[in-house]
Amino acid sequence: MEHQEWMNDVRLKNIDTKKLEFLQKLVFESSNLTEKQKIPFLMALANKAQKDKVKFSREETLEIIEVLKDYSTQDELQKINSILKVFHER
């Protein structure tokens, strides 16, 4: 997936840029970290999201997922689908 190409998709035009940047950091900046580095990174990101009041509506979440799928490689798509499967089983 192109790192920022997906953020410019017209379907996301009504979603606050701050939310999209949060996802960008979550997905791409954390992907290069070791397991030991991920926990402090994710904690800091979660604190920032809480401070900035970054929350996603159900509609935003579904739209973002569809856009991410369209920009994903086959391997990334499999990962997305396996994560979604876990959430749907709850």
Side-chain angles (χ1 to χ4, degrees):
M1 181 182 330
E2 249 338 280
H3 288 293
Q4 293 198 0
E5 184 180 347
W6 68 274
M7 292 173 62
N8 298 319
D9 190 288
V10 69
R11 294 171 287 178
L12 302 178
K13 70 178 187 228
N14 295 323
I15 299 177
D16 186 348
T17 306
K18 192 184 302 184
K19 292 179 179 183
L20 298 176
E21 289 170 355
F22 169 80
L23 289 174
Q24 180 73 16
K25 286 182 181 181
L26 178 66
V27 174
F28 293 106
E29 289 184 26
S30 68
S31 66
N32 295 324
L33 300 175
T34 65
E35 290 300 314
K36 192 173 183 178
Q37 294 170 318
K38 280 184 183 179
I39 293 174
F41 173 82
L42 294 174
M43 296 280 290
L45 195 58
N47 286 336
K48 181 166 176 34
Q50 188 173 27
K51 179 181 154 222
D52 293 346
K53 297 183 172 115
V54 175
K55 294 182 182 180
F56 296 90
S57 70
R58 178 166 172 71
E59 293 79 21
E60 288 174 327
T61 302
L62 293 173
E63 195 64 58
I64 290 167
I65 289 169
E66 289 307 309
V67 169
L68 288 174
K69 284 181 172 183
D70 288 348
Y71 287 85
S72 295
T73 64
Q74 197 61 34
D75 186 46
E76 291 167 334
L77 194 54
Q78 286 178 330
K79 289 177 185 176
I80 290 170
N81 287 331
S82 66
I83 291 168
L84 291 175
K85 183 180 177 187
V86 169
F87 282 106
H88 289 300
E89 290 176 352
R90 287 181 163 188

